[in-house]
Amino acid sequence: MTERETEAAREHFDRWAPTYERDRAARRLREAQTTALAALNLQAQDVFLDLGCGTGAAVRDGAGAVKRAVGIDLSPGMIAEARTLSNGLRNAEFVLGDVSQDRLPFEDQEFTALLCSTAFHHFPQPSRTIGEMARVLAPGGRLVIADANADQLVVRLLDAVLRRFQPSHVGFRRPSRLVGELQAVGFQGTSVTTIWMGGYAIVRAVRAG
Ligand SMILES: C[S@@+](CC[C@H](N)C(=O)[O-])C[C@H]1O[C@@H](n2cnc3c(N)ncnc32)[C@H](O)[C@@H]1O
């Protein structure tokens, strides 16, 4: 079943896709994505997955450092842009898919490094998606989820506004809640760092061996 938020996200990001990488707001998000990707500390042997990859900037950045880089996104427009912009990168691939469906279209333990930047707040089944992140990540694999930090009052106010007016918005989370959910499905070594005066959190975790 497709959630109402998911349909709204598809429409919203399809509209945004052609101009996303030139857009001022998205360029700010790109800074956060770069910081989040650095926290993943990609290595040559990694098989890297970006969930909610948008136009694939992190996949393009990561592809040079890893064995294989894969992006998945709900929006056909975003995936089309990602494929065009990554043209020529032999180890980058993009999959059209909804991460809130029952199963991600990947094998158990297929990846060793997983990123999700500024996308988690759109996912209508966050616990299910976290379970799937655990399934597709190999033991010892690293995960980084980066998003607005609901510990901050200003973010909670923004959350209330977006819940009311942006149909694709599901909700920002407190990092401590996310950490608890990750630990419940077998992640350990969790850490949280913040940027933008605490307004954006980068949660890192390692899949238990
Ligand atoms: C704000 S953009 C962020 C893109 C990129 N990760 C970044 O940091 O710039 C959010 C992305 O999440 C994707 N998205 C939203 N809901 C999704 C879902 N259920 N499954 C897969 N992707 C989804 C959107 O299509 C969009 O490309």
Side-chain angles (χ1 to χ4, degrees), residues 13 20 33 52 54 73-75 78 97-100 117-119 122-123:
F13 287 106
Y20 188 77
Q33 183 187 52
D73 200 281
L74 171 77
S75 152
M78 287 291 192
D98 173 4
V99 308
S100 57
S117 63
T118 323
H122 291 293
F123 299 165

Side-chain angles (χ1 to χ4, degrees), residues 19-42:
T19 56
Y20 188 77
E21 294 213 5
R22 297 193 301 275
D23 184 276
R24 185 188 291 191
R27 284 211 306 269
R28 282 288 279 164
L29 297 181
R30 177 83 166 111
E31 292 169 25
Q33 183 187 52
T34 302
T35 308
L37 185 63
L40 208 46
N41 191 21
L42 291 176

Side-chain angles (χ1 to χ4, degrees), residues 17-190:
T19 56
Y20 188 77
E21 294 213 5
R22 297 193 301 275
D23 184 276
R24 185 188 291 191
R27 284 211 306 269
R28 282 288 279 164
L29 297 181
R30 177 83 166 111
E31 292 169 25
Q33 183 187 52
T34 302
T35 308
L37 185 63
L40 208 46
N41 191 21
L42 291 176
Q43 305 291 319
Q45 288 313 305
D46 273 327
V47 182
F48 167 51
L49 173 65
D50 184 10
L51 286 163
C53 65
T55 52
V59 172
R60 298 198 302 276
D61 285 352
V66 301
K67 208 153 66 175
R68 180 176 161 230
V70 181
I72 180 168
D73 200 281
L74 171 77
S75 152
M78 287 291 192
I79 290 293
E81 285 293 318
R83 287 184 178 140
T84 302
L85 292 168
S86 71
N87 190 20
L89 282 176
R90 62 167 181 84
N91 63 342
E93 46 193 280
F94 294 95
V95 177
L96 180 65
D98 173 4
V99 308
S100 57
Q101 289 298 306
D102 278 350
R103 232 176 129 78
L104 292 177
F106 305 114
E107 300 298 322
D108 294 356
Q109 304 182 7
E110 188 170 336
F111 299 96
T112 60
L114 200 157
L115 176 72
C116 181
S117 63
T118 323
F120 199 83
H121 64 269
H122 291 293
F123 299 165
Q125 303 286 347
S127 304
R128 186 192 289 169
T129 303
I130 286 172
E132 280 296 287
M133 289 172 166
R135 181 183 67 77
V136 302
L137 203 52
R142 293 103 60 218
L143 164 82
V144 168
I145 300 177
D147 214 335
N149 177 6
D151 281 349
Q152 298 287 317
L153 176 62
V154 65
V155 171
R156 293 199 297 280
L157 293 174
L158 177 64
D159 188 59
V161 172
L162 291 174
R163 280 174 196 261
R164 176 84 176 80
F165 295 109
Q166 190 187 80
S168 66
H169 184 81
V170 175
F172 297 128
R173 281 173 130 59
R174 290 181 184 269
S176 55
R177 180 171 175 199
L178 193 51
V179 163
E181 289 167 323
L182 290 168
Q183 287 171 343
V185 296
F187 283 94
Q188 58 192 24
T190 49

Side-chain angles (χ1 to χ4, degrees), residues 1 132 136 186 198 204 207:
M1 188 185 79
E132 280 296 287
V136 302
R204 192 177 182 280
R207 179 84 173 94

